[in-house]
Amino acid sequence: MIDRYTRPEMGHIFSLENKYAIWQEIEVLACEAHAKLGESGITEEEAAWIRAHAGFDVDEVDAIEAVTNHDVIAFLTDMGEHIDAEVPEGEPKPSRHVHYGMTSSDLGDTALCLQLVQATDIIIDDVRRLGRICLRRAFEERDTLCVGRTHGIHAEPMTFGMKFGSWAWELHRDLRRLEDARANVACGAISGAVGTYSSIDPAVEAYVCERLGLDADPLSTQVISRDHHAYLAGVLATTAATCERIATEIRNLQKTDTLEAEEPFRAGQKGSSAMPHKRNPITAEKVCGLARVVKANAQVAFDNVALWHERDISHSSAERVAMADSFIALDHMLHCLIRIVDGLVLYPAQMLANLNKTRGLIFSSKVLLALVDEGLSREEAYAVVQENAMATWREIQAGEAGTTFREKLAADPRVPLSEEALDAIFDPRSFLTRVGTVFDRLGELSFD
């Protein structure tokens, strides 16, 4: 991900600095656990020395790795040098106790899970913020009339607040999924070469995981099974799909031929190098583009689940790219939408104009039911309504003045409806008599 699109908080989580800091803490905790258990020959004084003197230098680790071609060994070598730097000549080196009985995956997998927990916490906060904005705007626009569309075609009247409300509910579901996925991936493993604890007491694992806020994986082979990670990646992809849905709706509503809503256009912003009049939905388009990355990366995580026997590293290189990119992209997408939805410019007059664009055709369902109530069969009623509706539609498409759908119905002898009845049918608010139920439910929604 390009640096200028990376928030410092999220970018730092996947930095070498943070990863090595977690590695260091895991190794120190393991030494403390060994000392408390009285195992591996380490004393509590030595464990305290390791705690006080442990350190690393990213550039030094890189230089060592260039020779060893093994990142964990390079890190442990550098960490050991920091630990032993002030040890008097001839004295035992405390660093000999570091990584005792452990394998590389104990360190790397436990650290990765903690990084994923840290990153998920940021995404959870983002979703809460966006959800609260959608909820607020839903009630602000509770009574703003607009036309609903199915298949891109005008259907029946609704309120614009329902759009915000629908997004709020979906984000709420994303939030619950993220919380569950966070709990699922919050696990660690300090179990040795193939997960048998052959050279390390399970109590060390319990000690380390508890202090990191993780659960111990009950059976990890040499790696923590990647179904944990795949589940999280799938939830990230689902959340990205929610972002894409919101952004796609805004893009459609901003089209010149519709123009019911518009993403914020900052002072000094330029829309086109060639056409000064342009106000393009570029941020919403960017959200849709990045959603493709997050969704595609979920497939990488699913492919990483199947490994050879107890471990291989075919997953490692892929997840180092895919997981970091997914989190960084999704964090950026959510921040884009926080700004867009909070500042979304609405045009209620244009919504009303669009609602009336079809000369009343959107009231056809109410007319159909009214004719059925008057005693016509559904087939008879449907034929009468459709015939008048299509006649109105042909005039609209031909650009003819013509008469409205209501006027045609009033002139049709097969339609036994009074003027008063037609007034009630052609009132857009008549569709919304029960919409309060929707907002009563929204009133119970919380992003706390």
Side-chain angles (χ1 to χ4, degrees):
M1 189 59 57
I2 300 172
D3 286 344
R4 74 187 185 92
Y5 290 149
T6 303
R7 280 209 304 155
E9 303 94 322
M10 184 64 83
H12 173 70
I13 287 172
F14 295 101
S15 68
L16 287 174
E17 190 75 33
N18 186 54
K19 182 175 77 169
Y20 290 160
I22 297 172
W23 283 11
Q24 175 179 301
E25 182 62 15
I26 291 170
E27 294 290 357
V28 171
L29 286 171
C31 289
E32 292 174 347
H34 281 300
K36 290 181 183 297
L37 290 168
E39 293 185 350
S40 75
I42 184 173
T43 65
E44 292 198 5
E45 290 74 20
E46 287 177 307
W49 177 279
I50 291 170
R51 165 68 69 184
H53 293 84
F56 63 87
D57 182 280
V58 173
D59 291 336
E60 291 172 0
V61 176
D62 285 347
I64 297 168
E65 186 181 354
V67 176
T68 64
N69 200 28
H70 195 292
D71 57 351
V72 172
I73 291 175
F75 171 79
L76 294 172
T77 301
D78 185 60
M79 180 179 170
E81 290 174 357
H82 281 78
I83 292 169
D84 296 338
E86 298 180 18
V87 177
E89 188 69 31
E91 292 291 321
K93 305 295 186 183
S95 67
R96 71 188 187 280
H97 299 294
V98 173
H99 207 64
Y100 187 90
M102 293 170 59
T103 187
S104 298
S105 291
D106 290 336
L107 184 61
D109 279 16
T110 302
L112 176 59
C113 284
L114 184 55
Q115 287 175 282
L116 297 179
V117 167
Q118 293 172 340
T120 304
D121 283 341
I122 291 179
I123 298 298
I124 284 173
D125 181 65
D126 292 343
V127 170
R128 283 199 174 108
R129 290 177 59 193
L130 181 56
R132 291 187 189 111
I133 292 169
C134 289
L135 198 56
R136 170 177 58 80
R137 299 224 58 184
F139 283 97
E140 289 173 353
E141 307 303 332
R142 172 176 179 153
D143 298 318
T144 303
L145 270 176
C146 67
V147 67
R149 298 170 174 89
T150 58
H151 305 277
I153 307 301
H154 286 198
E156 293 184 354
M158 59 180 289
T159 78
F160 206 92
M162 293 174 65
K163 293 181 184 289
F164 289 117
S166 177
W167 301 342
W169 275 115
E170 190 163 337
L171 288 163
H172 190 265
R173 293 189 292 274
D174 288 327
L175 176 60
R176 294 295 168 253
R177 286 186 283 260
L178 284 162
E179 291 171 339
D180 189 60
R182 180 197 186 280
N184 185 273
V185 81
C187 55
I190 311 290
S191 57
V194 290
T196 61
Y197 303 97
S198 60
S199 301
I200 195 164
D201 192 312
V204 175
E205 177 183 70
Y207 181 92
V208 173
C209 288
E210 180 183 359
R211 280 152 184 77
L212 293 176
L214 305 175
D215 293 326
D217 192 320
L219 202 167
S220 60
T221 69
Q222 193 180 102
V223 296
I224 294 173
S225 297
R226 259 43 189 182
D227 62 290
H228 295 280
H229 308 65
Y231 176 41
L232 175 58
V235 171
L236 296 180
T238 303
T239 306
T242 296
C243 294
E244 184 180 19
R245 178 196 172 207
I246 295 171
T248 298
E249 181 68 8
I250 291 169
R251 291 170 61 196
N252 273 315
L253 293 172
Q254 189 165 335
K255 290 186 297 185
T256 304
D257 298 331
T258 306
L259 201 54
E260 295 181 358
E262 190 175 43
E263 71 174 48
F265 195 82
R266 293 171 172 164
Q269 184 174 338
K270 304 294 188 290
S272 166
S273 62
M275 297 168 283
H277 73 280
K278 296 294 290 294
R279 292 164 65 103
N280 302 326
I282 57 169
T283 309
E285 289 172 338
K286 177 170 62 174
V287 169
C288 291
L290 290 175
R292 299 168 190 168
V293 174
V294 181
K295 291 186 294 182
N297 284 348
Q299 185 62 53
V300 174
F302 294 137
D303 290 342
N304 281 346
V305 174
L307 303 178
W308 284 16
H309 304 301
E310 281 60 58
R311 185 221 183 182
D312 66 49
I313 62 166
S314 61
H315 63 289
S316 180
S317 57
E319 72 188 8
R320 292 186 193 203
V321 175
M323 294 304 284
D325 276 4
S326 288
F327 273 104
I328 291 170
L330 184 55
D331 179 45
H332 183 65
M333 292 161 63
L334 286 162
H335 270 258
C336 287
L337 286 178
I338 286 168
R339 182 180 70 84
I340 291 175
V341 177
D342 190 41
L344 191 65
V345 181
L346 303 184
Y347 298 108
Q350 184 61 33
M351 294 179 200
L352 193 58
N354 287 341
L355 188 147
N356 293 321
K357 186 176 291 184
T358 59
R359 300 181 188 175
L361 293 182
I362 60 174
F363 299 96
S364 68
S365 63
K366 287 285 188 183
V367 178
L368 174 65
L369 295 179
L371 292 180
V372 170
D373 289 342
E374 289 293 326
L376 276 71
S377 71
R378 184 175 180 83
E379 290 73 18
E380 291 172 331
Y382 196 100
V384 170
V385 173
Q386 187 180 46
E387 180 182 324
N388 285 282
M390 293 303 103
T392 305
W393 183 249
R394 284 190 294 271
E395 290 173 355
I396 293 171
Q397 296 310 305
E400 299 173 359
T403 55
T404 65
F405 180 46
R406 175 188 167 146
E407 290 169 337
K408 285 182 170 58
L409 291 169
D412 191 329
R414 298 169 296 174
V415 178
L417 297 173
S418 66
E419 286 294 320
E420 292 76 13
L422 288 171
D423 284 342
I425 291 169
F426 281 80
D427 177 2
R429 297 284 174 184
S430 67
F431 287 88
L432 306 175
T433 55
R434 298 189 182 96
V435 78
T437 301
V438 169
F439 288 93
D440 288 343
R441 293 169 182 161
L442 272 173
E444 299 173 359
L445 196 58
S446 173
F447 284 90
D448 294 333

